[in-house]
Amino acid sequence: MSLLARFARLVALVTLLAVGCGAIEYREALAQPDPLPSCNDGAAKQAITAFVTRVTTQGGADFVPAAGRIATFDNDGTLWTEQPFYFQLAFALDRVKAMAPQHPDWKARQPFKALLEKDTRALAASGEKGVAQILTVTHAGMTTDAFAQSVRDWLATARHPRFNRPYDSLVYQPMLELLAYLRANGFKTFVVSGGGVEFMRPWMERVYGNPPEQVVGSSGVVTFQIGADGKPELMKAAKVEFIDDGPGKPVGINRFIGRRPIFAFGNSDGDLQMLQWTAAGEGARFAGIVHHTDSAREHAYDRQSKIGKLDKALDAAAAGGWTVVDMKQDWQEIFPPLITTGAAKEPKP
């Protein structure tokens, strides 16, 4: 066989192998499951997956080592619904009703009288001072363990007034998938919320997969003492220590996480500074906003809403090229199906 013939044969063999390997890779690509099945294919989904691919591709220009893959998420309105008012307030209102038999004076004392009599006008008239009194009696004067148990007990029985589902089942299925997708790609996910950290930690690992140490929130003063049984305990005091909202969010991230996120998601003006802080870092950055546009399946609100107002952050997203998820257009599913575990119903991850 001539040298030329041998060369031609070698080229043909290499070509055949390349085509074969390409076909295998193509079939494998087709076989890969969709990491975000509840999201419609579109610009938002593509932006998320493209970013994750960029920062996790070894040798790529935007590669980020696993230690730097920090993702932060707001909670209210970003990971679970927040209408008609924040769920922590719903917890506080229900706790007043549950505690009322031990406080007969509340029948003649505002704002408790208005709440127990379902006098919404008088309750609204009590304003921020009234809300503060309700939060004080339901969130302080007890140990952290006792408070955590009261949260778990409430979640096991309370139902949302519109959806008639447990509050912790009103989490967003696409966001559960996103959390899992990021973790599968070496990200460490944190919840950074204006909600109370002691309210969130008892259930977030079960529902989101986020352990307590990866939950950052507003906090009250907690003190150490020796209890009546001689055992050490932590007591919740009626004093605010830290507000993890608005400009407090990047401060909380610096204080409790110690790394600037490369990926952040919010839904309101209360998340603006967290998104700005994330986007301003060096290298590849992702800032995302959940835009509530689906009044049929959930709620539709933005600039004029008293809960979860999205105004300045929406403008910042347009100016900065951030990803805005349109709930109605981008999400196939809103809430996960319920599964029954004994007597309790929980969201299916």
Side-chain angles (χ1 to χ4, degrees), residues 58-312:
Q58 188 84 35
D62 293 318
F63 176 74
V64 176
R69 296 177 203 163
I70 302 298
T72 57
F73 291 80
D74 169 56
N75 183 48
D76 296 308
T78 301
L79 295 179
W80 71 355
T81 193
E82 61 184 354
Q83 299 286 351
F85 44 75
Y86 299 121
F87 291 176
Q88 188 169 354
L89 179 57
F91 161 76
L93 298 179
D94 285 347
R95 282 294 297 160
V96 167
K97 298 171 187 176
M99 297 167 64
Q102 286 76 49
H103 299 272
D105 60 302
W106 286 357
K107 293 180 180 180
R109 178 183 163 198
Q110 297 291 14
F112 310 105
K113 181 177 184 293
L115 174 57
L116 296 174
E117 294 178 354
K118 299 181 180 180
D119 185 346
T120 55
R121 181 173 296 182
L123 184 60
S126 68
E128 292 184 5
K129 180 179 179 181
V131 172
Q133 289 178 288
I134 290 171
L135 291 176
T136 295
V137 300
T138 58
H139 286 64
M142 66 195 80
T143 66
T144 53
D145 289 340
F147 181 77
Q149 188 59 53
S150 72
V151 173
R152 288 189 288 265
D153 291 344
W154 178 75
L155 288 172
T157 59
R159 295 294 181 270
H160 189 275
R162 173 183 171 186
F163 299 107
N164 193 31
R165 287 174 56 137
Y167 283 90
D168 56 1
S169 76
L170 294 173
V171 295
Y172 302 133
Q173 179 65 24
M175 300 305 279
L176 294 179
E177 294 166 1
L178 177 55
L179 288 168
Y181 173 52
L182 291 174
R183 288 193 285 261
N185 282 277
F187 280 78
K188 197 169 186 178
T189 59
F190 292 82
V191 173
V192 179
S193 172
V197 69
E198 302 286 354
F199 174 77
M200 296 185 291
R201 283 177 173 166
W203 55 271
M204 282 203 167
E205 186 165 21
R206 171 176 58 82
V207 177
Y208 299 151
N210 263 51
E213 64 271 20
Q214 288 171 219
V215 178
V216 180
S218 298
S219 59
V221 171
V222 173
T223 58
F224 174 87
Q225 66 181 34
I226 301 299
D229 59 359
K231 296 179 180 180
E233 60 187 15
L234 295 176
M235 182 66 67
K236 288 173 60 60
K239 184 178 180 181
V240 174
E241 178 187 42
F242 175 68
I243 299 297
D244 188 55
D245 195 36
K249 288 198 173 188
V251 173
I253 290 169
N254 179 70
R255 178 178 178 183
F256 298 106
I257 301 175
R259 291 180 184 268
R260 190 193 302 237
I262 65 169
F263 186 105
F265 241 107
N267 81 294
S268 73
D269 286 359
D271 306 311
L272 175 59
Q273 290 83 1
M274 177 178 73
L275 295 169
Q276 290 173 325
W277 174 244
T278 300
E282 296 180 357
R285 299 280 154 170
F286 183 96
I289 288 178
V290 175
H291 190 189
H292 294 261
T293 57
D294 198 326
S295 59
R297 296 185 298 171
E298 200 244 12
H299 300 280
Y301 59 96
D302 45 42
R303 297 185 188 275
Q304 302 302 319
S305 180
K306 293 182 179 180
I307 300 294
K309 181 179 180 179
L310 176 61
D311 183 26
K312 294 180 180 178

